Amino acid sequence: MSQGQQHALVIGASLAGLLAARVLSQHYARVTLLERDALDELPPEAPRKGVPQGRHAHGLLAQGRVVLERYFPGLTEAVVARGGLVGDVMNEVNWYGHGTQLAQRPSPLVGLLTNRPLLEACVRERLLARPGIELMQGSAAERLLFEDGRVTGLACRDPQGIEQVLKADLVVDCSGRGSHGPQWLQALGWPRVQEERVEVGIGYTTRLYRRRPGDLAGKLAVVVAGDAPNWRNGAMLYHGPERWIVSVGGY
C-alpha cells in the first residue's frame, strides 16, 4: 500500500457501504465502517431504522446475485441455508404488464429470494471476516476533518455520546438519503451542491401472508407492473418456507 492508501472510512453499513468497503479492502490496509444503528442489538431478520425500506418486498435479481457472489463467495448458499431460495426469474416468476402475462421460458437468470435484513446480515458477516475491516456501530458521523485543502477524516459520536476523531486517507459517504455530506462541504466553504429533484409520487404498503403448498401453482413470485389509467402495481414474493411478502402501491 502507498502512504495515501492506509485507511479508508465508509459512512453507512447498508448494502452500498458494505460493497464499497469490500472493494476498498483491496486497495487500503484498513477499512472502517461507521454505522449509526446498533446492529448487534437486532435479530438478523429484523428491519432497522437506517433502512426503512427493509420491511418491504425485495428480490435479488440475477446480475446482482452474480456480483455479490463474486465479492463474497458462498453467499448464495449461506442465504439459502437460512431460509432464502434461488429460482429462474424468467420461468419461475409470473410477470404481468399492461394486463397481460408475459411468456415464460427457462433461462440462465438465477435470482435470490430473501428478506432484505437477512441478505444484509449475510453480506456483513462475510465482509467482517476479511482482515483489516472494522465496524463501528452505534456511532453517528458529525463532521468532516479538513486540512491543507483535503478531507483528512471524520469526527463522530460513539454510543456513549463521546466525540471521537477518526483520521483517514479517504472518506466515502454511503449514508443514503439522510446524508449530511452537502451541509458538511458547505460548512467548509464549498458552494452548495446542485440538486436535481424528480418527484415520483409513489406510495406503497406491505404485509406478510401464510404460504401454502400449491400457491401460484408452484411459482415463486408474481410481479404486476403499473399501467394507465390507475398505475397500480405490486409484487408477491417467496419470503420463507411458510410466508409470502406482498407489497402493493400506486402513483
Side-chain angles (χ1 to χ4, degrees), residues 208-211 215-216 219-220 237-238 243-245:
L208 299 178
Y209 290 90
R210 183 181 298 111
R211 181 174 181 267
D215 285 353
L216 291 184
K219 300 295 183 180
L220 303 180
L237 310 179
Y238 169 94
R243 294 195 307 272
W244 293 109
I245 186 168

Side-chain angles (χ1 to χ4, degrees), residues 142-143 145 154-158 160-166:
E142 293 274 301
R143 55 187 171 83
L145 304 180
L154 188 75
C156 68
R157 295 280 175 184
D158 68 12
Q160 287 72 46
I162 300 172
E163 183 175 272
Q164 293 192 26
V165 171
L166 305 175

Side-chain angles (χ1 to χ4, degrees), residues 131-176:
I133 304 287
E134 179 189 8
L135 172 64
M136 293 180 59
Q137 53 183 300
S139 299
E142 293 274 301
R143 55 187 171 83
L144 295 172
L145 304 180
F146 192 77
E147 296 176 18
D148 300 325
R150 63 182 297 270
V151 172
T152 58
L154 188 75
C156 68
R157 295 280 175 184
D158 68 12
Q160 287 72 46
I162 300 172
E163 183 175 272
Q164 293 192 26
V165 171
L166 305 175
K167 291 286 188 176
D169 302 297
L170 177 70
V171 177
V172 179
D173 185 1
C174 293
S175 55

Side-chain angles (χ1 to χ4, degrees), residues 11 17 23 36 78 100 105 145-146 172 195 200 222 228 239 251:
I11 306 170
V23 173
R36 183 174 55 187
T100 301
R105 293 290 186 273
L145 304 180
F146 192 77
V172 179
E195 295 183 6
V200 179
V222 55
H239 197 64
Y251 297 93

Side-chain angles (χ1 to χ4, degrees), residues 62-75:
Q63 189 59 28
R65 190 194 66 81
V66 169
V67 170
L68 283 176
E69 190 68 30
R70 183 167 72 240
Y71 284 121
F72 305 101
L75 176 68

Side-chain angles (χ1 to χ4, degrees), residues 15 43-47 54 75 78-85 112-126 239-240 243:
L15 284 174
E45 295 190 42
L75 176 68
V79 173
V80 170
R82 293 167 70 170
L85 197 66
L112 178 61
L113 290 164
T114 184
N115 65 75
R116 166 62 187 269
L118 179 58
L119 175 64
E120 186 178 293
C122 289
V123 171
R124 185 169 64 248
E125 288 168 7
R126 273 152 186 75
H239 197 64
R243 294 195 307 272

Side-chain angles (χ1 to χ4, degrees), residues 18-67:
L18 296 173
L19 285 166
R22 171 62 182 85
V23 173
L24 290 170
S25 70
Q26 299 176 189
H27 305 282
Y28 286 79
R30 291 193 303 125
V31 179
T32 300
L33 273 162
L34 191 71
E35 171 54 49
R36 183 174 55 187
D37 288 341
L39 303 177
D40 285 345
E41 297 177 4
L42 297 170
E45 295 190 42
R48 60 188 180 87
K49 184 179 179 181
V51 188
Q53 71 273 24
R55 299 178 180 275
H56 301 284
H58 283 75
L60 185 60
L61 297 180
Q63 189 59 28
R65 190 194 66 81
V66 169
V67 170

